[in-house]
Amino acid sequence: MFLPVYRAAANGLAPFSGLFLWRRGQKGKEDLARIGERRGYAELPRPEGRLAWLHGASVGEGLALLPLVERLIGKGFQVLVTTGTVTSARILGERLPKGATHQFSPLDAPPFVARFLDHWRPDLFILAESEIWPNTLCAVHERNIPITLVNARLSPRSFARWRRFPGFISALLGKIDLCLAQSQDDAARLLQLGAPRVDAIGNLKYDVEPPPADPARLDELSRQIGPRQIWIAASTHPGEESLALQAHKVLTQRFPGLLTFLVPRHPHRGPEIVAEAEAAGLEAALRSRGDPIRPSTQVYIGDTIGEMGLFFRLSSVIFMGKSLAGHGGQNPIEPAKLGSAILHGPHIGNFIDVYHALDSQGGAITVKDAEDLARQLQALFDDPVYLRRTAEASRRIVGELGGATDKIMLALEHYIAQMIVSQQ
């Protein structure tokens, strides 16, 4: 019952999409030069040969698909990667290998999805995590294109919400040929909701290479920092910057030259964070306006896109945001792969498995407030052996948890073989 209603509503709203997208573009949430892609118009020609379409919602999901992109190219596929955010488009545009291209995903309205599929004609559709868009799934299924959900996850909260609409979610999941979940718990929840074929194969994000860094920029920032003690609060959300600033003030009593890096999850917040730091009596510098790190700089705000790999390489102590003032946490795998000790708050539900592994084996430390954050940072700074041991454990643990890409490619062999036979 809900599927026809949803489809009718999407069709009815489609004519107003131009205004909707334009208003989002005015807020920086859409690329105004590429709005046509959101309505299914292609900016590029379809490449010759077999085409795999991979979709992830945003930066994290898109980057997690990179190991799979490379393996599919190795199997002779051209690869199209779609995401829905401006930031993900910029980052993937820089990191996709030859043989892969990025487009914005079409809005989930039947005419836009049909236009997209008519142009790209994918042979395989792979979507990441929990991107279950009804009209898109139905349209792809109707064209007999195999659908695989990879890195699938379903939180208890989302599971409870979907259980209120059992027929709707069962019908949608029934159109997915194969669900490859991050954990046994995710797999069990998907099975209960009606997914026909489910397996737990681990998290693709463990297989992603650390983000790159420009060597010249790294050398320049390292020169400006010099021998100063430094730590980084990464992917912070509103409220966490003030906690980091409180911790900074406490720590400067013992480490007068301390430099705190704040890297907000949403870079447009940079100026407000500068104002907050200055209101706290601290000298702050803003990367987006080219401020250098001076000997008197106490707080440096990394409000740029695509430089997280640069920031992660500057310090062996990283606090991951959205875990103290936010909920769900942020992915700690990238800094862990680069050999950093990880600090985080208690709210880590979106990455519970990796944080549990890191916490239980000495690669990460939980903090509950600004005072605790300062105390744990001081313990790491005061004991280089403890810091090195924690950082090495962090790197080792995430290395041991990899291998999901191999399992996904093995699961896809059946569909790839069928394509080869049908095209001969």
Side-chain angles (χ1 to χ4, degrees):
M1 179 179 71
F2 289 106
L3 206 50
V5 172
Y6 177 87
R7 177 164 291 193
N11 270 320
L13 292 171
F16 304 99
S17 63
L19 177 61
F20 168 74
L21 292 167
W22 181 83
R23 292 181 69 176
R24 282 177 54 83
Q26 294 300 305
K27 299 175 182 178
K29 296 181 178 181
E30 298 286 347
D31 184 339
L32 290 171
R34 296 175 61 181
I35 275 182
E37 295 174 35
R38 299 289 269 156
R39 304 179 74 192
Y41 292 105
E43 293 289 330
L44 302 167
R46 185 201 188 278
E48 296 294 326
R50 297 194 302 274
L51 178 72
W53 171 24
L54 280 65
H55 173 71
S58 188
V59 177
E61 296 86 353
L63 291 177
L65 291 169
L66 285 178
L68 206 52
V69 169
E70 294 173 351
R71 295 287 290 276
L72 286 166
I73 291 172
K75 286 284 186 180
F77 281 88
Q78 296 291 320
V79 177
L80 172 69
V81 179
T82 60
T83 58
T85 67
V86 173
T87 302
S88 63
R90 292 177 185 170
I91 292 176
L92 286 170
E94 296 172 354
R95 294 186 62 177
L96 284 174
K98 184 179 180 181
T101 190
H102 175 272
Q103 293 275 275
F104 283 106
S105 56
L107 296 177
D108 194 46
F112 303 156
V113 176
R115 187 180 293 140
F116 176 92
L117 293 174
D118 287 344
H119 176 82
W120 291 106
R121 305 186 312 281
D123 298 286
L124 183 67
F125 180 36
I126 299 172
L127 61 162
E129 298 202 11
S130 54
E131 281 292 279
I132 301 173
W133 290 103
N135 288 322
T136 300
L137 281 178
C138 290
V140 174
H141 178 74
E142 287 165 4
R143 298 184 186 219
N144 297 313
I145 300 167
I147 302 172
T148 302
L149 180 63
V150 301
N151 235 33
R153 64 183 179 91
L154 193 67
S155 68
R157 186 174 172 182
S158 296
F159 175 67
R161 185 166 58 245
W162 279 119
R163 288 191 72 179
R164 300 203 302 266
F165 309 98
F168 185 48
I169 188 60
S170 178
L172 291 178
L173 291 175
K175 301 182 187 307
I176 299 174
D177 297 274
L178 181 62
C179 291
L180 300 175
Q182 293 184 20
S183 71
Q184 293 291 347
D185 288 341
D186 292 311
R189 287 190 280 266
L190 286 163
L191 281 169
Q192 289 183 62
L193 290 178
R197 289 186 59 203
V198 183
D199 195 7
I201 53 89
N203 194 331
L204 263 176
K205 293 180 180 179
Y206 291 117
D207 294 343
V208 180
E209 290 298 315
D214 181 274
R217 294 180 184 178
L218 181 59
D219 287 346
E220 175 60 20
L221 274 182
S222 297
R223 184 190 63 77
Q224 292 180 21
I225 294 166
R228 297 173 64 180
Q229 193 72 261
I230 175 177
W231 71 286
I232 296 173
S235 296
T236 54
H237 284 243
E240 288 178 323
E241 293 88 13
S242 64
L243 297 174
L245 295 174
Q246 291 174 45
H248 175 93
K249 284 190 163 186
V250 172
L251 286 165
T252 52
Q253 297 173 27
R254 183 169 181 82
F255 307 101
L258 179 69
L259 179 62
T260 292
F261 266 57
L262 299 179
V263 185
R265 178 68 177 83
H266 302 291
H268 70 269
R269 297 183 54 241
E272 73 180 62
I273 298 170
V274 169
E276 185 174 5
E278 291 175 344
L282 300 171
E283 183 175 322
L286 190 65
R287 182 158 183 79
S288 64
R289 66 188 182 200
D291 295 348
I293 300 174
R294 306 181 190 279
S296 58
T297 302
Q298 297 165 290
V299 179
Y300 189 80
I301 293 92
D303 62 332
T304 50
I305 293 173
E307 290 195 310
M308 194 63 86
L310 171 66
F311 302 137
F312 282 156
R313 285 172 170 82
L314 291 170
S315 174
S316 55
V317 182
I318 310 288
F319 166 79
M320 294 304 300
K322 203 181 177 182
S323 61
L324 269 179
H327 289 277
Q330 296 286 172
N331 181 7
I333 296 172
E334 290 180 342
K337 280 200 167 188
L338 290 169
S340 292
I342 307 297
L343 300 170
H344 63 88
H347 308 298
I348 50 172
N350 291 342
F351 301 94
I352 190 68
D353 292 331
V354 59
Y355 277 113
H356 174 72
L358 289 168
D359 289 343
S360 63
Q361 299 182 55
I365 302 163
T366 305
V367 298
K368 62 180 184 295
D369 53 31
E371 183 180 347
D372 195 22
L373 176 60
R375 183 165 50 250
Q376 297 296 345
L377 285 168
Q378 180 175 326
L380 290 166
F381 293 155
D382 278 340
D383 189 344
V385 174
Y386 173 42
L387 172 55
R388 185 170 61 252
R389 186 171 65 244
T390 305
E392 288 174 352
S394 176
R395 189 202 302 268
R396 173 183 56 79
I397 292 160
V398 296
E400 292 172 350
L401 290 170
T405 305
D406 291 337
K407 296 173 184 176
I408 291 172
M409 291 303 299
L410 185 62
L412 293 175
E413 281 294 341
H414 168 70
Y415 303 106
I416 295 173
Q418 282 187 328
M419 285 176 218
I420 294 172
V421 170
S422 66
Q423 294 172 2
Q424 285 178 345

